Amino acid sequence: MGWRLALHKGIAGAALSSARAAATGEEHGAMQVQCQQSPVLAGSATLVALGALVLYVAKPSGYGKHTESLKPAATRLPARAAWFLQELPSFAVPAGILARQPLSLLGPPGTVLLGLFCVHYFHRTFVYSLLNRGRPYPAVLIFRGIAFCAGNGFLQSYYLIYCAEYPDGWYTDIRFCLGVFLFILGMGVNIHSDYILRQLRKPGEITYRIPQGGLFTYVSGANFLGEIIEWIGYALATWSLPALAFAFFSVCFLGLRAFHHHRFYLKMFEDYPKSRKALIPFIF
């Protein structure tokens, strides 16, 4: 009987030790990723610096309307493949991080807000890119875009999942409500404006025509204005430094692109509406 009792105690002790080890492993696994402020600050500063650099250089990016004049000898990819490859990291990186979080319809604010980020880039990756009728895209810009989208996607995801802390009533906070409203409004303007631009050109055409309708009645860069509104709303809803830095970059990059588009239209079309502004109705 003694040896049986000892055997049972030994088995029970081993099972208890294994359970403790497993629990400790799970605890360490759950705490494995901890917020580090240094990469958050560095990433945010990089976005601000890139935005300032775009304004300082003040040259149009070499794709779309400006591809022939800037990079006439550059290797190009079809527009649909180029946009798909470029935008994919902005969806795949956050979606991969979200997939590791507990599933919940209305979970922590950070996961819900990152879900909005994924919604935007799901559309850009799997809808906008496949409907695109633009010109072939310079390959060198694709690689730059992939690097930017992967870095920004990781920055926004890392902060919202591992660093952001929101009070219990954040879903009813005016910053969240107004921010989400602006995000949805801006995305709607962006999608509608892209639709108007697609209708100007049949598949295979490279002819330019004056866009009409929607916010194009007031500005040349209605699609850019919509996306800027989106990211300003996102920065408000997340109340975070990385999102604010990304909104600043978007204003610089897309605002400058709207300015160059406006100049392009004025030079190409003598009958272009003189009252139409570049980006902000009645102002700029």
Side-chain angles (χ1 to χ4, degrees):
M1 292 295 293
W3 66 269
R4 289 181 180 177
L5 181 60
L7 180 60
H8 284 307
K9 287 183 177 180
I11 294 174
L16 181 60
S17 299
S18 298
R20 288 175 177 173
T24 303
E26 291 178 359
E27 182 178 351
H28 285 310
M31 299 176 59
Q32 186 174 3
V33 180
Q34 295 183 351
C35 176
Q36 300 292 330
Q37 291 296 333
S38 296
V40 172
L41 295 175
S44 301
T46 300
L47 286 175
V48 172
L50 287 174
L53 180 62
V54 166
L55 292 182
Y56 177 77
V57 175
K59 291 183 179 180
S61 297
Y63 65 93
K65 293 176 175 59
H66 313 286
T67 183
E68 295 295 337
S69 60
L70 293 184
K71 298 183 180 297
T75 302
R76 293 177 173 82
L77 269 69
R80 293 181 178 181
W83 279 103
F84 176 82
L85 292 174
Q86 177 177 280
E87 301 293 298
L88 181 59
S90 286
F91 171 76
V93 172
I97 293 177
L98 269 182
R100 302 181 61 182
Q101 308 307 310
L103 295 178
S104 176
L105 181 61
L106 199 63
T111 60
V112 173
L113 290 165
L114 187 57
L116 289 179
F117 188 90
C118 289
V119 167
H120 170 88
Y121 280 107
F122 177 88
H123 175 266
R124 296 291 292 182
T125 303
F126 299 103
V127 180
Y128 171 80
S129 65
L130 299 182
L131 296 175
N132 194 288
R133 296 178 181 175
R135 293 187 172 198
Y137 200 100
V140 63
L141 296 183
I142 297 174
F143 291 114
R144 293 179 188 175
I146 290 173
F148 177 87
C149 289
N152 183 57
F154 178 78
L155 173 64
Q156 305 301 328
S157 306
Y158 179 84
Y159 179 82
L160 287 175
I161 298 301
Y162 303 117
C163 298
E165 296 181 0
Y166 295 102
D168 292 337
W170 188 250
Y171 287 127
T172 57
D173 190 285
I174 184 61
R175 291 166 291 183
F176 177 85
C177 296
L178 180 59
V180 171
F181 170 77
L182 290 175
F183 181 88
I184 295 173
L185 174 66
M187 188 170 181
V189 170
N190 179 251
I191 293 174
H192 181 250
S193 301
D194 285 337
Y195 170 79
I196 292 175
L197 291 175
R198 282 197 303 272
Q199 302 313 303
L200 297 176
R201 181 183 295 170
K202 296 179 181 179
E205 282 188 339
I206 58 172
T207 304
Y208 289 104
R209 299 180 177 89
I210 299 176
Q212 304 286 353
L215 280 180
F216 283 113
T217 305
Y218 306 101
V219 296
S220 299
N223 50 330
F224 303 129
L225 176 59
E227 191 164 353
I228 287 173
I229 292 173
E230 244 186 299
W231 296 125
I232 289 176
Y234 190 73
L236 183 61
T238 62
W239 205 248
S240 70
L241 180 61
L244 179 61
F246 182 44
F248 173 80
F249 173 84
S250 298
V251 170
C252 296
F253 182 81
L254 298 176
L256 184 65
R257 192 151 183 84
F259 171 75
H260 286 297
H261 273 41
H262 187 65
R263 291 205 311 180
F264 174 89
Y265 285 130
L266 289 173
K267 290 180 180 180
M268 174 164 281
F269 302 106
E270 293 183 359
D271 59 340
Y272 195 73
K274 303 301 180 184
S275 62
R276 189 177 296 187
K277 300 299 183 180
L279 183 67
I280 304 174
F282 313 113
I283 299 176
F284 170 74

